[in-house]
Amino acid sequence: MQPDPVLSPAGDDSDSSLDQALRPRSFDEFVGQRTLLDNLRVYIQAAQGRGEPLDHVLLSGLPGLGKTTLASLIARELGVECRTTSGPALVRPADLAGILTNVGRGELLFIDEIHRLPAAVEELLYSAMEDFAIDILIDQGPNARSVRVPLQHFTLVGATTREGMLSAPLRGRFGLLEKLDVYPPADIEEILRRSAARLGVGIDEAPLARVARVARGTPRVANRLIKRLRDFAQITAAGRITDEVGVDALRRLGIDDNGLCETDRRILTSLHRAGGGPVGLKTVAVAAGEDPETIEDVYEPFLLTEGWLMRTPRGRCLTERAAEWFAKNGGKSGTAQRSLF
Ligand code: ADP
């Protein structure tokens, strides 16, 4: 089974230089999330006014909403370095210790997927965040002793798609807790407009609205779509994204009129085959060819808000809307709009 080219985390980000080009380079270029940005501006100015490093920041929100981008923009506003790592990359406490001892005063350490830190690494982070010192164990057996290593007063920016999975001691050590919400269609249109301009491709108003409707309020999805639409426009429409190009490209990408992609349809079909559910998450994930966390973080939020699927204590179930859709389409989800991959 191929990963979904637009939605899957394993999908298309191969053209990373394009991604760099599309990333906002200042707070002013960061579209939407006004309250959050206004708050951050105040905290940054206040910290700078006092000549102090910024308090630790926790950014939470679904994948692709701009947490990594914001971390680098905070560093830019502060005029400091930003070191980047992630929860799964920090396997042993020594991995984190090596990074912490190299972070300068006022600098930013960005830890993506911070909810996935191993317990021993997380514990080391507690004293680093609170006391700006860590205890490192040296030697083994009867000679083992702990040495306290002072750190520079740094700022930790943590990002998580699962705020609920953070332990209370870790969560409690962040001074600033900021949540990113999915973007309204107007913001997604603005992001699409800017990205099209950066990519040097013209786009009409109709496809702009059409793509914004299926981008799930997520800038990453919007940017992946605009890159693919640019390809289709280049080959078929003299470099301009007209509505015809938009309709054709979305169809080729396997996105139907309801905004459902091939993986969404696989999820819904697996529930339909099980009589509408309930079906456990792991079984749904196997049927859809994605891991359970991706199903929960990437696909389900849209299926839930659009009223296709319900989460119940016993598993996932189809909604009435989905059942009606299957009844009307002869129970053959995905055949009307088959993906071309
Ligand atoms: P996350 O870390 O939350 O998964 P990213 O920061 O990697 O998300 O953002 C995904 C992409 O979406 C980035 O390449 C960035 O260009 C774009 N993006 C995210 N938020 C915005 C925004 N508010 N305005 C414009 N582009 C954005």
Side-chain angles (χ1 to χ4, degrees):
M1 247 182 255
Q2 298 270 12
D4 189 278
V6 177
L7 283 149
S8 175
D12 150 48
D13 272 331
S14 48
D15 37 12
S16 61
S17 59
L18 274 188
D19 284 326
Q20 283 304 327
L22 297 182
R23 257 184 211 279
R25 283 166 291 208
S26 68
F27 272 9
D28 290 336
E29 288 185 12
F30 194 88
V31 176
Q33 312 284 348
R34 280 298 116 193
T35 313
L36 188 159
L37 280 195
D38 288 347
N39 288 346
L40 279 177
R41 277 202 178 96
V42 170
Y43 304 142
I44 289 172
Q45 277 174 17
Q48 284 179 322
R50 291 191 299 265
E52 286 173 6
L54 183 69
D55 223 341
H56 303 306
V57 188
L58 180 67
L59 301 171
S60 63
L62 294 172
L65 294 186
K67 300 180 291 298
T68 308
T69 308
L70 258 188
S72 66
L73 292 182
I74 293 171
R76 199 170 282 218
E77 290 287 312
L78 288 165
V80 299
E81 282 289 308
C82 180
R83 284 159 209 268
T84 298
T85 183
S86 76
L90 298 168
V91 180
R92 296 163 305 133
D95 299 331
L96 179 61
I99 297 176
L100 286 171
T101 48
N102 281 303
V103 179
R105 182 178 158 80
E107 288 182 1
L108 241 69
L109 171 61
F110 174 59
I111 305 185
D112 201 7
E113 297 187 77
I114 196 161
H115 59 277
R116 293 176 66 187
L117 279 180
V121 180
E122 181 176 322
E123 252 171 59
L124 190 73
L125 203 50
Y126 296 162
S127 61
M129 291 173 78
E130 202 159 271
D131 309 327
F132 298 100
I134 48 175
D135 294 310
I136 297 179
L137 201 63
I138 46 176
D139 232 332
Q140 286 181 339
N143 295 327
R145 60 201 186 281
S146 150
V147 175
R148 198 154 181 86
V149 179
L151 303 173
Q152 296 292 335
H153 196 137
F154 69 102
T155 297
L156 178 70
V157 180
T160 180
T161 51
R162 304 282 181 104
E163 201 186 344
M165 274 174 67
L166 241 64
S167 69
L170 181 56
R171 196 173 181 279
R173 282 172 169 80
F174 286 97
L176 310 173
L177 301 167
E178 301 293 335
K179 188 170 175 350
L180 284 89
D181 292 319
V182 291
Y183 293 65
D187 285 350
I188 294 292
E189 283 189 28
E190 179 60 19
I191 290 170
L192 287 167
R193 210 174 271 118
R194 287 181 190 212
S195 296
R198 289 241 177 108
L199 294 172
V201 61
I203 180 163
D204 293 342
E205 285 300 310
L208 207 64
R210 186 182 292 284
V211 175
R213 269 202 305 278
V214 300
R216 299 168 185 232
T218 307
R220 176 177 294 137
V221 175
N223 279 344
R224 282 183 174 180
L225 285 169
I226 198 86
K227 284 188 286 181
R228 296 293 71 83
L229 261 65
R230 180 179 80 145
D231 292 340
F232 288 116
Q234 191 182 322
I235 301 303
T236 60
R240 185 163 188 87
I241 303 173
T242 59
D243 202 28
E244 208 183 339
V245 171
V247 170
D248 183 47
L250 291 180
R251 187 181 54 78
R252 285 170 184 259
L253 289 166
I255 297 170
D256 68 19
D257 295 340
N258 292 311
L260 299 176
C261 69
E262 184 66 30
T263 307
D264 296 322
R265 290 191 292 273
R266 280 191 213 128
I267 293 169
L268 297 178
T269 304
S270 71
L271 297 178
H272 177 65
R273 290 205 177 117
V279 176
L281 175 63
K282 281 191 187 147
T283 310
V284 173
V286 170
E290 283 281 9
D291 64 86
E293 199 171 317
T294 302
I295 297 288
E296 278 194 299
D297 289 352
V298 177
Y299 297 96
E300 279 190 351
F302 181 74
L303 296 173
L304 287 163
T305 52
E306 294 287 308
W308 293 101
L309 174 144
M310 287 180 295
R311 280 181 188 158
T312 73
R314 288 169 54 227
R316 273 59 180 168
C317 294
L318 285 185
T319 59
E320 220 166 282
R321 177 186 187 187
E324 274 168 21
W325 189 91
F326 276 104
K328 234 189 258 160
N329 290 275
K332 290 189 201 127
S333 169
T335 48
Q337 296 267 354
R338 196 168 272 296
S339 160
L340 295 184
F341 320 100

